[in-house]
């Protein structure tokens, strides 16, 4: 047991150091932890989550090309017109805007262009910018579990299917979208009157006594409305949205997907003895595509949905490049593509590390958590949340912990209800979206407190995740 505890410390230390250094370090240092477990402790390496990684690459490529085409600018313009038309409702409209942008694009990093506009609208209306900004930042990341093309959602569907809980992507988002909207509206309601209005805040009033600060706060205007949007940029948006709609349709109607012959092990077939004296299991023969009478057989199998998603998204990216004249180099240089590639490395290292540790000690973990699973299966939501605080990636939490949760015997409908809890990285305000939001607020009302944890995102984050999880749990219990 001491050895297991030491190996767990290696995992946690790798996650802590990766989170401390951030960016690519999250995956790279997880790889260092993996090296220690394999070469020093002799654990058998787990399997890296290649299927999920490929989906992220496809989604990020498609979203990155959309950004490079100018299509995201057009989407932001549409949102800005709504916000400026109804500035009095900015505390509700801003988080709803970032939420639906993330749902559409599959990444929360589309919020960066919108946040200066939210700040500008709030200042001109005399509303404390902290109110809409903090909830909008939380909403943009919580929405990842609601996007049909996000890695977290696709990974949940794929892993669940492999563990006996067959659930499609539309079924997942049919639970998470209404649940997370309830959470965001609750957080927005709490934020509506948080803090003092700008004209009553002594700290802010003291700040703008300085002419330089006054000019900084009131002399700037952030807008995208002065940008000329090319027709080709609009076509890129149409192509992108058509790809998402097609994915949803095919997820609902998988019967129309093409089927191909595949090799499957015959149930009850015994292992095959080789001339060398070794034996080969039917499943190994099937994996190698070898058909052997009485052991394996050819059967038609529908193409997996995770492959369909990859094909459609990559094709959409290609169409945007060919039809809309989008420059591939511009896509690679954009923050959407770059942040997505960082997520790929993080998931690659973290999930591989977790898979190796839990794969080696699954029996001990099952014994340790047996009472919790039997009596408090919903407590897996707390495990998801804590793990997310450490690793700053919802997809990585799903890929690393969901197979473990299924092996522990936790029902799929409970895990679906707990899905909003894979977003917990607002708790320690070191994620780029939160840091950027603090820097974007010219008034200084959105802040990280003296004691770090008393920051602007804490209460909106806790309310959003808690309410979303409760509602998702109720919806999932009713329908699944």
């Amino acid at each position: 047991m001491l050895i297991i505890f030491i190996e767990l410390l290696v995992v946690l230390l790798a996650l802590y150091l990766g989170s401390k250094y951030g960016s690519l370090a999250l995956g790279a240092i997880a790889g260092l932890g993996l090296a220690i477990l394999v070469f020093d402790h002799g654990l058998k390496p787990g399997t890296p989550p290649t299927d999920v990684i490929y989906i992220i690459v496809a989604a990020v490529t498609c979203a990155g090309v959309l950004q490079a085409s100018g299509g995201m600018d057009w989407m932001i313009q549409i949102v800005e017109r709504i916000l400026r038309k109804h500035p009095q409702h900015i505390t509700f409209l801003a988080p709803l805007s970032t939420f639906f942008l993330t749902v559409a694009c599959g990444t929360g990093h589309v919020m960066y262009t919108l946040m200066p506009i939210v700040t500008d609208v709030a200042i001109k209306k005399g509303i404390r910018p902290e109110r809409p900004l903090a909830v909008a930042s939380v909403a943009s990341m919580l929405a990842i579990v609601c996007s049909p093309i996000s890695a977290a959602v696709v990974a949940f569907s794929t892993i669940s299917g492999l563990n006996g809980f067959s659930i499609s992507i539309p079924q997942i988002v049919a639970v998470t979208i209404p649940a997370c909207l309830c959470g965001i509206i609750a957080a927005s309601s709490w934020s509506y009157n948080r803090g003092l209005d700008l004209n009553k805040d002594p700290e802010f009033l003291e700040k703008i006594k300085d002419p330089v600060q006054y000019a900084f706060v009131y002399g700037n205007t952030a807008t995208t409305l002065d940008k000329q949007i090319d027709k080709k940029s609009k076509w890129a948006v149409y192509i992108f949205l058509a790809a998402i709609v097609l994915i949803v349709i095919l997820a609902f109607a998988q019967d129309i997907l093409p089927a191909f012959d595949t090799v499957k092990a015959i149930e009850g077939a015994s292992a095959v003895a080789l001339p060398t004296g070794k034996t080969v299991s039917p499943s190994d023969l099937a994996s190698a595509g070898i058909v052997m009478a009485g052991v394996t057989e050819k059967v038609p199998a529908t193409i997996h949905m995770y492959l369909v998603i990859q094909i459609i998204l990559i094709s959409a990216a290609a169409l945007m490049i060919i039809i809309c004249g989008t420059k591939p180099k511009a896509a690679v240089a954009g923050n959407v593509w770059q942040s997505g590639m960082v997520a790929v490395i993080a998931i690659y290292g973290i999930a591989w590390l977790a898979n190796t540790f839990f794969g080696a000690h699954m029996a001990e973990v099952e014994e340790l958590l047996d009472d919790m699973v039997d009596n408090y299966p919903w407590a897996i939501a707390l495990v998801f949340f804590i793990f997310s605080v450490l690793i700053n990636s919802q997809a990585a939490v799903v890929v690393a912990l969901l197979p473990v949760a299924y092996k522990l015997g936790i029902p799929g409908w409970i895990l679906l209800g707990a899905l909003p809890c894979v977003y917990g990285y607002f708790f320690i305000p070191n994620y780029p979206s939160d840091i950027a939001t603090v820097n974007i607020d010219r008034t200084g009302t959105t802040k990280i407190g003296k004691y770090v944890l008393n920051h602007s995102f804490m209460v909106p984050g806790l309310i959003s995740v808690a309410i979303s999880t409760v509602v998702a749990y109720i919806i999932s219990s009713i329908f699944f």
Side-chain angles (χ1 to χ4, degrees):
M1 187 58 74
L2 178 60
I3 295 297
I4 297 175
F5 181 71
I6 292 172
E7 290 169 356
L8 177 60
L9 284 180
V10 171
V11 174
L12 295 177
L13 182 61
L15 297 179
Y16 168 74
L17 290 176
S19 178
K20 180 180 178 181
Y21 286 99
S23 191
L24 290 173
L26 203 55
I29 295 178
L32 178 60
L34 176 66
I36 294 171
L37 294 185
V38 172
F39 296 116
D40 186 52
H41 289 253
L43 299 191
K44 180 183 177 181
T47 304
T50 51
D51 291 337
V52 174
I53 288 173
Y54 294 152
I55 290 170
I56 299 175
V57 171
V60 166
T61 300
C62 192
V65 172
L66 175 67
Q67 183 183 41
S69 72
M72 282 190 181
D73 291 335
W74 186 43
M75 295 169 74
I76 295 293
Q77 272 193 359
I78 294 170
V79 173
E80 182 179 352
R81 288 192 181 94
I82 296 171
L83 295 179
R84 292 195 182 279
K85 190 174 182 180
H86 306 282
Q88 68 276 20
H89 302 307
I90 189 74
T91 306
F92 287 95
L93 291 178
L96 289 175
S97 299
T98 57
F99 176 85
F100 283 112
L101 282 171
T102 297
V103 170
C105 299
T107 172
H109 296 289
V110 294
M111 58 156 272
Y112 295 126
T113 306
L114 188 61
M115 292 308 233
I117 297 166
V118 173
T119 304
D120 195 62
V121 172
I123 290 173
K124 285 180 168 52
K125 189 64 179 176
I127 295 170
R128 185 182 183 89
E130 179 187 32
R131 295 170 184 171
L133 285 175
V135 192
S137 179
V138 168
S140 69
M141 296 300 152
L142 182 60
I144 287 173
V145 298
C146 304
S147 173
I149 61 170
S150 76
V153 170
V154 176
F156 188 94
S157 176
T158 304
I159 295 170
S160 295
L162 293 173
N163 287 274
F165 181 54
S166 182
I167 185 166
S168 68
I169 290 171
Q171 287 175 316
I172 294 171
V173 298
V175 172
T176 56
I177 287 178
C180 291
L181 281 175
C182 288
I184 290 164
I185 291 170
S188 298
S189 300
W190 178 86
S191 299
Y192 195 75
N193 291 309
R194 78 178 300 190
L196 297 170
D197 291 331
L198 291 180
N199 61 357
K200 297 177 182 177
D201 187 336
E203 185 179 343
F204 173 72
L205 293 174
E206 184 64 29
K207 176 181 180 178
I208 60 173
K209 284 181 180 178
D210 181 348
V212 175
Q213 289 297 324
Y214 184 90
F216 174 66
V217 173
Y218 289 106
N220 294 294
T221 298
T223 183
T224 61
L225 298 180
D226 55 356
K227 285 187 178 181
Q228 292 295 321
I229 304 299
D230 191 89
K231 279 187 177 180
K232 290 183 177 180
S233 300
K234 296 180 180 180
W235 271 107
V237 175
Y238 299 146
I239 292 170
F240 183 79
L241 294 179
I244 295 175
V245 171
L246 182 59
I247 288 170
V248 173
I249 291 172
L250 292 177
F252 267 120
Q254 295 189 30
D255 291 342
I256 67 174
L257 292 173
F260 305 94
D261 283 344
T262 186
V263 180
K264 177 184 177 184
I266 297 175
E267 191 174 346
S270 58
V272 178
L274 299 177
T276 59
K278 293 183 178 180
T279 58
V280 181
S281 69
S283 60
D284 288 338
L285 288 172
S287 298
I290 299 173
V291 180
M292 184 174 288
V295 180
T296 58
E297 60 182 346
K298 275 190 176 182
V299 294
T302 303
I303 185 172
H304 290 290
M305 196 61 205
Y306 65 84
L307 293 176
V308 173
I309 293 171
Q310 293 173 50
I311 293 170
I312 292 174
L313 292 177
I314 289 293
S315 299
L319 289 174
M320 283 187 272
I321 292 170
I322 296 169
I323 297 174
C324 307
T326 306
K327 303 296 183 184
K329 285 186 178 179
V332 174
N335 68 316
V336 168
W337 193 88
Q338 291 178 1
S339 61
M341 289 302 108
V342 169
V344 167
I345 301 301
I347 291 170
Y348 180 56
I350 292 166
W352 199 359
L353 174 64
N355 186 288
T356 298
F357 174 78
F358 287 113
H361 302 298
M362 199 61 228
E364 291 86 349
V365 171
E366 287 177 347
E367 183 180 352
L368 180 66
L369 300 180
D370 187 52
D371 289 339
M372 185 207 82
V373 171
D374 289 341
N375 300 314
Y376 311 103
W378 51 265
I380 192 66
L382 299 177
V383 178
F384 285 171
F385 185 85
I386 293 169
F387 207 80
S388 177
V389 172
L390 291 173
I391 64 174
N392 292 350
S393 171
Q394 287 138 294
V397 174
V398 173
V399 174
L401 294 185
L402 195 63
V404 178
Y406 278 116
K407 287 178 182 176
L408 289 172
I410 299 176
W413 69 269
I414 290 180
L415 297 173
L416 177 58
L419 189 55
C421 278
V422 299
Y423 169 53
Y425 46 82
F426 67 85
F427 197 83
I428 300 173
N430 60 356
Y431 198 71
S433 59
D434 295 332
I435 294 171
T437 301
V438 171
N439 293 330
I440 285 167
D441 184 359
R442 306 196 299 268
T443 66
T445 58
T446 308
K447 62 184 72 174
I448 297 171
K450 180 180 178 181
Y451 304 104
V452 181
L453 294 183
N454 59 327
H455 53 80
S456 296
F457 312 97
M458 180 64 84
V459 178
L462 290 174
I463 291 174
S464 296
V465 172
I467 297 296
S468 299
T469 303
V470 170
V471 176
Y473 186 88
I474 293 171
I475 295 174
S476 185
S477 67
I478 293 172
F479 291 101
F480 299 103

